[in-house]
């Protein structure tokens, strides 16, 4: 097979992004990323490139691979960086899954709005991903496999992730490497057929090729069709979410309940994709949400724990919150943002407080969690409880609810229940 498909794909990438964009290349030293980086260095000025080798410390050869990748870049004058990461031993998802997650976090944190992450996934990778998802019973999003390009978010920063070789056959990469006499490193774990992706690559696909010689191309094409369908589902979810209160840790589902569970699940998927990247959705979570929606007991406060967060449910609103919510906080009034502390109430009385207190006093005001004594004094507590219930404030927020402190004493409970009787 001709290697020209590699060069054509890289040329198309250069035309896709204007000259002010630079590229961060995930460079493991394997065949795929070696071909990609070499082709990029022939097509683009090296000052638009930076190669990053992520050292997981999982293989005894990892130090040698770092040396190879560094020498490869030095020979082409490509800026290079090696990054060491730690992969937790006790990960439930399995070492490979967590290593991938940690690797991408290390790469994403080096992006900005003018730096695009490039990975060397190709057509065979796409076919494998499609089959993995199908064999796990994946939905449309899973079967759409890997997008050619997508927006990524990490710690509040946005970036782009592009796979320029996604439509290029693996054989074209091998032909390119042979033509330019490239050398690369071999990861022995890629031969371990106890890993499902490797089993598909070494056992399933070769047998499939006997009956369907173009199987990889056909599977990748199916993924592309499903990607188009996914785009339509995204459009539908975006319309549905316009009627819902949503942010990075909560989603009000009440407006969607009458539309049926498939629409709810689609909205949840899109919410996690666009607003709550820390959330991982699966069949267990969807079933749990459905059971919560069908539970009409007002005293029920269901909870589902994940590795990094806990799902909570209250009055048909889903919350994805840290396991330990911050309760010991103290923030200047001018800097207080409810969402930063995972509060559910929008604090619509802030303007009232601004108007009621002289700016000189508000300038020294602090926001912190109220005590029980303060709740009774400012409330009284029985009235405050009714206000919490009337405004749908979840029980887990009530014992850490914010008060405004001026001159060393609490003078107001934030969020619409405000008592100014303590003002001097």
């Amino acid at each position: 097979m001709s290697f020209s498909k590699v060069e054509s794909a890289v040329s198309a990438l250069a035309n896709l992004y204007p000259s002010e964009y630079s590229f961060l290349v995930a460079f493991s030293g394997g065949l795929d990323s070696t071909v990609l980086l070499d082709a990029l260095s022939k097509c683009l000025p090296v000052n638009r490139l930076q190669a990053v080798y992520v050292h997981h410390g999982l293989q005894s050869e990892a130090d040698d691979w770092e040396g190879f990748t560094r020498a490869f870049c030095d020979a082409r004058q490509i800026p290079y960086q090696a990054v060491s990461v730690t992969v937790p031993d006790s990960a439930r998802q399995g070492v490979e899954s967590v290593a991938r997650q940690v690797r991408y976090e290390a790469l994403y944190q080096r992006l900005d709005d003018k730096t695009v992450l490039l990975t060397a996934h190709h057509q065979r990778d796409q076919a494998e991903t499609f089959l993995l998802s199908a064999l796990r019973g994946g939905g449309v999003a899973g079967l759409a496999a890997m997008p050619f390009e997508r927006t990524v978010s990490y710690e509040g920063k946005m970036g782009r992730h592009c796979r320029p070789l996604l439509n290029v056959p693996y054989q074209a990469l091998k032909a390119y490497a042979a033509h330019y006499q490239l050398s690369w490193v071999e990861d022995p774990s890629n031969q371990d057929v106890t890993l499902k992706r490797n089993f598909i690559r070494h056992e399933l696909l070769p047998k499939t090729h006997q009956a369907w010689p173009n199987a990889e191309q056909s599977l990748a094409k199916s993924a592309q069709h499903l990607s188009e369908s996914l785009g339509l589902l995204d459009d539908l979810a975006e319309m549905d979410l316009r009627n819902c209160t949503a942010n990075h840790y909560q989603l009000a589902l009440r407006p969607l309940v009458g539309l049926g569970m498939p629409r709810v699940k689609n909205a949840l998927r899109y919410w996690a994709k666009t607003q709550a990247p820390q959330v991982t959705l699966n069949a267990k979570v969807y079933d749990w949400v459905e059971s919560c929606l069908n539970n009409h007991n007002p005293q029920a406060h269901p909870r589902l724990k994940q590795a990094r967060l806990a799902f909570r449910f209250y009055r048909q609103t889903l919350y994805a919150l840290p396991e330990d919510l911050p309760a010991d906080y103290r923030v200047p009034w001018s800097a207080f943002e409810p969402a930063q502390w995972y509060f559910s109430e929008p604090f619509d009385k802030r303007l009232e407080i601004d108007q009621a207190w002289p700016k000189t006093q508000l300038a020294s005001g602090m926001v912190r969690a109220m005590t029980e004594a303060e709740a009774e004094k400012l409330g009284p507590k029985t009235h405050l409880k009714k206000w919490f219930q009337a405004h749908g404030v979840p029980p887990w927020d009530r014992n850490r609810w914010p008060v405004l402190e001026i001159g060393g004493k609490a003078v107001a409970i934030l969020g619409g229940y405000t008592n100014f009787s303590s003002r001097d």
Side-chain angles (χ1 to χ4, degrees):
M1 177 175 289
S2 171
F3 61 85
S4 62
K5 291 186 177 182
V6 172
E7 295 174 328
S8 297
V10 171
S11 295
L13 177 77
N15 294 327
L16 181 63
Y17 293 100
S19 58
E20 64 265 24
Y21 282 85
S22 60
F23 300 103
L24 184 78
V25 184
F27 185 36
S28 67
L31 170 65
D32 307 343
S33 60
T34 297
V35 166
L36 174 60
L37 188 56
D38 185 78
L40 287 166
S41 70
K42 290 179 169 62
C43 180
L44 296 170
V46 292
N47 61 5
R48 292 185 65 187
L49 303 176
Q50 181 182 5
V52 176
Y53 172 77
V54 181
H55 192 314
H56 302 90
L58 296 176
Q59 300 279 2
S60 58
E61 303 95 334
D63 289 339
D64 295 335
W65 299 341
E66 179 182 336
F68 170 85
T69 56
R70 185 183 299 276
F72 183 95
C73 292
D74 287 347
R76 292 160 177 79
Q77 298 183 315
I78 299 171
Y80 173 87
Q81 183 180 14
V83 180
S84 295
V85 297
T86 301
V87 179
D89 292 333
S90 58
R92 294 181 181 178
Q93 305 100 304
V95 172
E96 292 296 320
S97 174
V98 177
R100 185 184 312 110
Q101 179 178 331
V102 170
R103 177 169 66 252
Y104 276 118
E105 287 177 355
L107 295 167
Y108 289 163
Q109 69 185 12
R110 286 163 172 78
L111 297 181
D112 56 43
D113 59 352
K114 294 296 183 182
T115 304
V116 182
L117 172 64
L118 302 182
T119 53
H121 298 102
H122 46 74
Q123 191 176 81
R124 188 183 71 180
D125 293 324
Q126 185 76 319
E128 292 168 359
T129 303
F130 177 89
L131 287 172
L132 275 171
S133 182
L135 293 169
R136 291 168 177 163
V140 173
L143 293 172
M146 297 178 287
F148 177 81
E149 182 190 40
R150 71 186 186 107
T151 300
V152 297
S153 172
Y154 183 74
E155 294 183 344
K157 294 194 305 181
M158 305 297 290
R160 307 292 294 175
H161 177 188
C162 182
R163 300 176 173 92
L165 304 181
L166 194 61
N167 297 315
V168 178
Y170 175 66
Q171 294 301 323
L173 275 71
K174 290 183 68 176
Y176 181 99
H179 178 81
Y180 287 107
Q181 299 181 332
L182 299 180
S183 56
W184 59 89
V185 302
E186 294 283 0
D187 184 346
S189 69
N190 288 335
Q191 305 302 316
D192 182 2
V193 293
T194 63
L195 300 176
K196 291 182 173 59
R197 181 178 289 273
N198 288 343
F199 180 84
I200 289 174
R201 178 178 303 169
H202 299 297
E203 301 289 340
L204 185 57
L205 279 176
K207 293 185 182 301
T208 305
H209 288 153
Q210 295 174 14
W212 294 278
N214 297 318
E216 291 173 9
Q217 180 180 358
S218 298
L219 292 169
K221 185 179 294 184
S222 292
Q224 176 61 35
H225 293 325
L226 285 157
S227 179
E228 293 171 1
S229 299
L230 181 62
L232 297 176
L233 289 174
D234 283 353
D235 290 343
L236 176 62
E238 187 174 356
M239 289 189 290
D240 286 346
L241 288 178
R242 289 173 187 166
N243 301 316
C244 302
T245 299
N247 57 31
H248 67 280
Y249 59 89
Q250 71 177 41
L251 174 60
L253 295 173
R254 186 183 299 274
L256 305 180
V257 172
L259 301 177
M261 197 59 200
R263 290 274 283 275
V264 171
K265 290 167 64 176
N266 186 51
L268 277 169
R269 176 196 59 79
Y270 189 72
W271 166 72
K273 173 183 174 180
T274 58
Q275 298 190 51
Q278 80 281 13
V279 169
T280 299
L281 297 174
N282 51 36
K284 181 179 180 180
V285 176
Y286 287 130
D287 289 346
W288 179 81
V289 169
E290 185 171 12
S291 70
C292 291
L293 290 171
N294 291 329
N295 186 344
H296 302 294
N297 178 5
Q299 303 303 317
H301 307 137
R303 190 166 174 270
L304 178 66
K305 189 178 182 306
Q306 276 197 339
R308 297 189 177 188
L309 54 81
F311 289 111
R312 298 172 186 253
F313 206 87
Y314 184 70
R315 294 192 180 181
Q316 295 189 318
T317 297
L318 176 69
Y319 298 86
L321 301 169
E323 183 67 17
D324 298 313
L325 287 168
D328 185 19
Y329 57 91
R330 186 176 179 84
V331 188
W333 165 251
S334 60
F336 179 71
E337 295 294 340
Q340 182 181 357
W341 305 97
Y342 300 96
F343 284 110
S344 58
E345 172 65 27
F347 303 134
D348 54 2
K349 289 290 184 176
R350 180 166 183 150
L351 180 60
E352 180 181 332
I353 294 176
D354 283 339
Q355 294 173 340
W357 291 90
K359 289 185 177 180
T360 54
Q361 293 189 30
L362 268 180
S364 62
M366 302 295 293
V367 177
R368 58 169 174 80
M370 68 178 167
T371 65
E372 285 195 19
E374 289 167 343
E376 187 64 35
K377 180 180 178 182
L378 292 171
K381 191 174 181 180
T382 53
H383 293 171
L384 183 61
K385 181 179 180 181
K386 291 179 180 178
W387 182 86
F388 280 146
Q389 292 173 338
H391 286 74
V393 176
W396 56 83
D397 276 347
R398 298 177 189 180
N399 63 356
R400 66 186 193 101
W401 199 254
V403 295
L404 174 63
E405 177 187 292
I406 294 179
K409 64 179 181 180
V411 296
I413 298 171
L414 272 63
Y417 189 88
T418 307
N419 186 320
F420 298 109
S421 62
S422 297
R423 182 178 175 185
D424 292 333

